Amino acid sequence: LIAFFQPKVLAGRRVLITAGPTFEAIDPVRGITNHSSGKMGFAIARAAAEAGAQVTLVAGPVHLPTPAGVTRIDVRSAQQMHDAVLPRAPAHDVFVATAAVADWRPAAEQGEKIKKAEGQRVPAPFALVENPDILATVARLPEGQRPWCVGFAAESHDLVRHAREKRLRKGVPLLVGNLGPATFGRDDNTLLLVDAAGERELATADKLTLARALVAEIAQRLPAV
Ligand code: CTP
Ligand code: CA
């Protein structure tokens, strides 16, 4: 019922969102991942749809129901997330990157399970390579193909400084900071909005309330159509 009365501030807009962790396979039974629950990204997808947007949600491995009216694409690795996002980005007005993308992946996925070998119980160290930066890549698309980009940052300390630096480094108009890993998996959160004008805090609330407030903040900042 609340959803019905949400102002349709994103009517006619197309919003692309990444959410959840990624999983980088080491071998068929192991991998590198993180504690992102996907809840914040899924709440933003729901809030954007309530606000009248056409929403595409690219989700890493999470067990969350798809919000009503949202088109969902499931991926596993950072590379798959990148490959799902890049061709779709130019057809969207807004890109919100909430995913906790693994920064590195094993250089090669072993086809067979790595076994403890007699005399060598610890496997040989494996090389890691850097994953593509999905947000930075979308933020560098040429004008006309580039959606309005929102980045997220979970920082364990010095949130304001890191969020400011990250906004500039990623080249995005809006960066949303929160203190992680304290927020991972929790139902409430506090958000710090950093844009060219400065900082603004969205006070601690449940993730859906924050998502709705963030959607309103994004809608205000979007260039008119
Ligand atoms: N991001 C992304 N692709 C990556 C890494 C990050 O799209 N390969 C996005 C995240 O979804 C988030 C933003 O970039 O919106 C910031 O992610 P974060 O991990 O905080 O930044 P990094 O640049 O990876 O820096 P670090 O992990 O060292 O703090
Ligand atoms: Ca990172």
Side-chain angles (χ1 to χ4, degrees):
L1 193 65
I2 297 175
F4 181 80
F5 290 108
Q6 289 300 304
K8 300 287 181 268
V9 290
L10 290 180
R13 306 283 198 165
R14 289 153 302 177
V15 177
L16 179 63
I17 301 168
T18 63
T22 66
F23 181 91
E24 313 298 326
I26 295 170
D27 69 15
V29 296
R30 305 183 179 93
I32 301 169
T33 187
N34 60 67
H35 287 306
S36 168
S37 67
K39 285 179 183 171
M40 195 65 227
F42 274 61
I44 293 167
R46 174 172 166 183
E50 287 173 4
Q54 239 181 72
V55 181
T56 310
L57 175 61
V58 179
V62 292
H63 296 282
L64 290 174
T66 309
V70 168
T71 303
R72 174 175 180 171
I73 300 160
D74 284 309
V75 298
R76 193 174 70 146
S77 66
Q79 188 64 51
Q80 287 171 358
M81 188 174 275
H82 171 276
D83 295 349
V85 165
L86 259 291
R88 290 178 174 86
H92 288 81
D93 303 295
V94 181
F95 176 52
V96 187
T98 73
V101 183
D103 291 318
W104 309 280
R105 66 174 181 275
E109 180 182 343
Q110 300 303 314
E112 292 177 354
K113 183 183 171 191
I114 302 167
K115 299 294 291 177
K116 286 187 293 188
E118 202 58 50
Q120 191 218 338
R121 314 286 294 181
V122 179
F126 51 85
L128 293 173
V129 292
E130 197 172 343
N131 274 323
D133 190 321
I134 302 165
L135 176 60
T137 307
V138 172
R140 279 195 303 263
L141 287 172
E143 179 91 58
Q145 292 184 43
R146 181 177 64 237
W148 199 84
C149 290
V150 182
F152 265 70
E155 306 288 348
S156 61
H157 60 285
D158 290 336
L159 179 60
V160 177
R161 181 169 61 83
H162 283 131
R164 280 185 192 148
E165 283 173 10
K166 206 160 270 184
R167 190 184 81 83
L168 297 174
R169 182 154 53 79
K170 302 270 177 180
V172 297
L174 181 62
L175 196 290
V176 182
N178 61 99
L179 284 172
T183 67
F184 281 10
R186 288 185 54 135
D187 291 320
D188 60 0
N189 205 347
T190 312
L191 299 182
L192 180 77
L193 272 47
V194 183
D195 66 9
E199 291 88 46
R200 180 175 142 60
E201 195 177 289
L202 298 183
T204 306
D206 65 276
K207 287 182 177 175
L208 183 57
T209 302
L210 285 173
R212 287 174 174 151
L214 179 61
V215 158
E217 296 277 345
I218 291 170
Q220 272 176 27
R221 289 169 169 82
L222 280 187
V225 272

